[in-house]
Amino acid sequence: MMIFGRMFIPFMRGPMVWPLGSRWGWDFPFSVALFPLGIFLGLFGVLHLVLAWGLFEREPWARFLGLALGFLALIRFPFGTALGIYTLWVLLPEASASEYDRLAQNGGHVNSAAASSH
């Protein structure tokens, strides 16, 4: 599990000596902290991919997922905050909700004439 960490981060290669003399390796805190963090970030990456697909396909549930991820993006300063504000600005107003619902019902077509021809 720590093979790649030891290849790219040299100070993880051996145990570190604390001022009190006890020897202690870097494997424990990195394996305990970074693995769950990687799982957590990977989950958010998958959620963003699902959101992108849902918005592209105009799925009805994608607006709600976009709002939820937009609220969570607000805590990732500075770029996540900016993208979260923009996401909420686009998806949150009631006019956006009715427009998105209309697009989702028509299969992504803007006017009803194009939707009725299929």
Side-chain angles (χ1 to χ4, degrees):
M1 180 164 30
M2 296 305 296
I3 293 171
F4 295 111
R6 288 183 179 165
M7 286 173 37
F8 296 114
I9 303 173
F11 66 83
M12 289 178 58
R13 289 189 179 152
M16 197 177 143
V17 177
W18 285 90
L20 299 176
S22 63
R23 298 181 64 80
W24 180 75
W26 283 95
D27 286 343
F28 178 71
F30 281 108
S31 65
V32 169
L34 289 183
F35 186 70
L37 180 65
I39 297 285
F40 184 72
L41 293 176
L43 176 67
F44 271 99
V46 169
L47 283 175
H48 281 88
L49 288 174
V50 169
L51 172 64
W53 176 81
L55 288 173
F56 183 73
E57 294 292 326
R58 310 284 200 287
E59 295 292 333
W61 49 264
R63 182 176 173 269
F64 177 74
L65 181 60
L67 288 171
L69 290 178
F71 277 115
L72 291 175
L74 292 174
I75 61 175
R76 293 186 312 233
F77 186 78
F79 299 114
T81 302
L83 289 173
I85 290 171
Y86 180 73
T87 301
L88 296 177
W89 179 50
V90 169
L91 293 177
L92 195 57
E94 187 61 35
S96 297
S98 62
E99 181 180 353
Y100 189 82
D101 290 339
R102 190 174 63 245
L103 285 172
Q105 289 173 353
N106 291 336
H109 298 289
V110 177
N111 58 11
S112 60
S116 64
S117 67
H118 284 102

